[in-house]
Amino acid sequence: MSQSLYIDDTPASVKNAKGLHLITMGTPNGQKVQIMLEELAEKYGTEWDTTFVPNRNIMTNEQKKEWFLRLNPNGRIPVLVDNTQSPPFCVMETSAELLYLLKFADKDDVFGFKDEYERSEALQWLFFWHGSGAPYQGQVNHFVKFAKEKIPYAIERFKNETLRVYGVLEIRLSGKYTGEPRDYLAGKGKGKYSIADIGTWPWVKVWEFSGFTKEEMEPFPHVLKWIDRIAERPAVKKGVGEKYSFKK
């Protein structure tokens, strides 16, 4: 056990873990890494352990306690800990976690690309959602679902920005300016399912939870088909399924 990384208050499931360990909860950010691990398990037999942080613990700032901040100073889930390294190596931020798993667990680049230009496309779309999509939709969720005071300006602003970002995804998937519709965000031709999709899909799929209507989503038919296409993958079903539902 790393004396500087783990303390007495660190949950036993975390400090006694071997190999890869994911600290997560059933949010879109948590689901990104859950899905990636499930995909790697199907392809390579990748193994990992999981510690769940219940919603009620998040609401009481469990992730702001010292044991958690030693793993991720930003106090956010998910956190990936690689205990095969000495001392254990921690990875924070979902896009960084996906890229870490891609490099160290996906030797065949099944969910990435060997071609540098295709790889660049995947990075562009991964970072696009990380920086321009998730923050806006996260604010929609906050102001629509959780804010103590309903602030119409904030709701309108962040809903409009999220819809704008959906529109960017629609341009990409529809082939509006290329004449060739795509199945996935990155890669030649119709594209290939990759970390770009894994890093984006868990957020976009919850558009109804975020308060968007079917009428508001009508301008994005290719995005809706993309949501349904990815939802049918067995590893995706596992990554958002009962396995990750904390019941206690």
Side-chain angles (χ1 to χ4, degrees), residues 36-136:
M36 183 65 170
L37 285 166
E38 294 291 349
E39 294 282 10
L40 292 168
E42 288 208 351
K43 176 62 181 177
Y44 301 106
T46 301
E47 297 180 348
W48 71 98
D49 293 321
T50 306
T51 293
F52 300 98
V53 180
N55 286 345
R56 65 176 182 273
N57 288 22
I58 288 291
M59 301 305 285
T60 57
N61 281 330
E62 180 71 21
Q63 75 280 15
K64 296 300 189 290
K65 293 181 178 179
E66 181 184 348
W67 77 263
F68 196 102
L69 294 176
R70 284 172 175 257
L71 308 177
N72 178 359
N74 194 34
R76 295 286 189 275
I77 62 94
V79 180
L80 184 68
V81 184
D82 187 350
N83 292 288
T84 67
Q85 304 303 306
S86 182
F89 188 77
C90 295
V91 190
M92 65 179 192
E93 295 297 319
T94 54
S95 293
E97 290 161 5
L98 294 179
L99 289 168
Y100 186 87
L101 291 171
L102 185 69
K103 181 173 181 62
F104 292 103
D106 185 8
K107 61 183 178 63
D108 297 326
D109 277 317
V110 173
F111 307 105
F113 299 91
K114 295 188 183 298
D115 180 89
E116 286 299 324
Y117 293 100
E118 290 181 291
R119 181 176 181 275
S120 176
E121 279 190 345
L123 292 175
Q124 290 172 54
W125 288 100
L126 177 66
F127 294 160
F128 167 73
W129 184 261
H130 191 121
S132 297
Y136 287 132

Side-chain angles (χ1 to χ4, degrees), residues 166-183:
Y166 287 176
V168 177
L169 296 177
E170 179 69 19
I171 289 172
R172 178 63 169 172
L173 293 167
S174 69
K176 180 176 181 179
Y177 298 124
T178 65
E180 184 177 16
R182 305 176 60 86
D183 290 339

Side-chain angles (χ1 to χ4, degrees), residues 1 6 12-21 47-49 81-84:
M1 184 178 75
Y6 303 133
S13 63
V14 176
K15 61 186 174 185
N16 296 329
K18 309 295 182 184
L20 290 172
H21 191 80
E47 297 180 348
W48 71 98
D49 293 321
V81 184
D82 187 350
N83 292 288
T84 67

